[in-house]
Amino acid sequence: SAVISQKPSRDICQRGTSLTIQCQVDSQVTMMFWYRQQPGQSLTLIATANQGSEATYESGFVIDKFPISRPNLTFSTLTVSNMSPEDSSIYLCSVDQTPGSSGYTFGSGTRLTVV
Amino acid sequence: GENVEQHPSTLSVQEGDSAVIKCTYSDSASNYFPWYKQELGKRPQLIIDIRSNVGEKKDQRIAVTLNKTAKHFSLHITETQPEDSAVYFCAAGGIKAAGNKLTFGGGTRVLVKP
């Protein structure tokens, strides 16, 4: 299965600032997904990123708050903008493997704390 | 959109016993149902998955069953061991028109007591 490198692994940020999270995949993938996992909770999809098109955001998430880039088939970034303590969470990228192979794989996550 | 419900939210079993986690989904078009195990501080890891053209799949001590008519699927862990202690998530998705995204259940915290 694909190997995903995600960074930073953790960060502590001041409210009002922005943080950009990067995901690098070792193979070309069509779709990349960005999830949020709040402490002790499940995974909530933020958006789906396709190369060459605008990201598709889920209900409750907007582009101004979570802008996403997908410049090629192996890389994507998620920015958490104008952060507040409520944004403290783990953010994970995930990729969709070729149908019939090993399913969806997650990056190691970014633990964000906003103070 | 898809909605996935998972039960129970916590499960405590004695080592060697079986554990069963159940999930229901709402969108009959979903055709891919993975299960993930997440240990504390780590990323979710895929442990088994099933596609809608199959009713059951086994991998050593882990099995998943799918009832498409009732729209529910279950994870069975036999001969549980302390290292099976983790949070388990079910998910549903695989719909091309919906971008192949996965919708996750709320998770089950499994504790295997030695």
Side-chain angles (χ1 to χ4, degrees):
Chain A
S1 60
V3 175
I4 306 173
S5 299
Q6 182 174 343
K7 57 183 181 182
S9 59
R10 58 178 63 224
D11 208 341
I12 301 173
C13 300
Q14 296 290 324
R15 69 177 68 202
T17 63
S18 297
L19 176 72
T20 295
I21 303 166
Q22 300 180 2
C23 270
Q24 178 75 52
V25 189
D26 68 346
S27 59
Q28 293 186 338
V29 292
T30 305
M31 295 183 182
M32 293 182 76
F33 304 91
W34 287 97
Y35 284 87
R36 182 175 73 183
Q37 187 174 30
Q38 295 179 305
Q41 302 295 312
S42 184
L43 297 100
T44 301
L45 182 64
I46 297 170
T48 302
N50 285 332
Q51 192 266 336
S53 63
E54 293 285 330
T56 303
Y57 288 83
E58 297 299 305
S59 176
F61 298 96
V62 294
I63 188 171
D64 289 348
K65 176 68 176 177
F66 298 101
I68 286 171
S69 79
R70 184 82 201 274
N72 57 53
L73 290 173
T74 64
F75 187 78
S76 179
T77 67
L78 170 77
T79 299
V80 187
S81 304
N82 188 24
M83 289 184 285
S84 65
E86 292 71 39
D87 295 319
S88 297
S89 192
I90 297 173
Y91 293 85
L92 300 118
C93 61
S94 173
V95 299
D96 176 14
Q97 301 291 300
T98 304
S101 70
S102 51
Y104 293 71
T105 301
F106 283 90
S108 54
T110 297
R111 183 179 295 271
L112 170 62
T113 302
V114 184
V115 297
Chain B
E2 178 64 275
N3 182 52
V4 179
E5 306 231 345
Q6 183 172 346
H7 298 281
S9 57
T10 60
L11 181 59
S12 183
V13 298
Q14 208 65 41
E15 182 178 359
D17 287 350
S18 294
V20 180
I21 304 170
K22 298 182 179 181
C23 288
T24 60
Y25 61 99
S26 62
D27 193 334
S28 57
S30 288
N31 56 51
Y32 176 62
F33 307 92
W35 286 87
Y36 288 85
K37 176 183 181 181
Q38 188 175 32
E39 295 173 330
L40 191 62
K42 298 193 175 178
R43 77 187 81 187
Q45 295 275 10
L46 179 70
I47 55 171
I48 196 167
D49 57 10
I50 192 168
R51 298 193 183 269
S52 59
N53 57 347
V54 175
E56 182 174 1
K57 185 177 178 181
K58 251 185 155 177
D59 183 4
Q60 300 180 8
R61 295 186 296 109
I62 293 172
V64 57
T65 58
L66 171 65
N67 183 327
K68 281 182 60 181
T69 303
K71 289 189 281 189
H72 66 71
F73 56 112
S74 301
L75 178 72
H76 304 252
I77 307 173
T78 58
E79 300 171 23
T80 53
Q81 300 165 4
E83 51 265 37
D84 294 329
S85 296
V87 180
Y88 292 80
F89 294 99
C90 63
I95 305 171
K96 270 194 173 178
N100 275 346
K101 63 187 181 185
L102 287 179
T103 300
F104 284 80
T108 298
R109 187 173 299 276
V110 174
L111 174 63
V112 180
K113 296 181 285 187

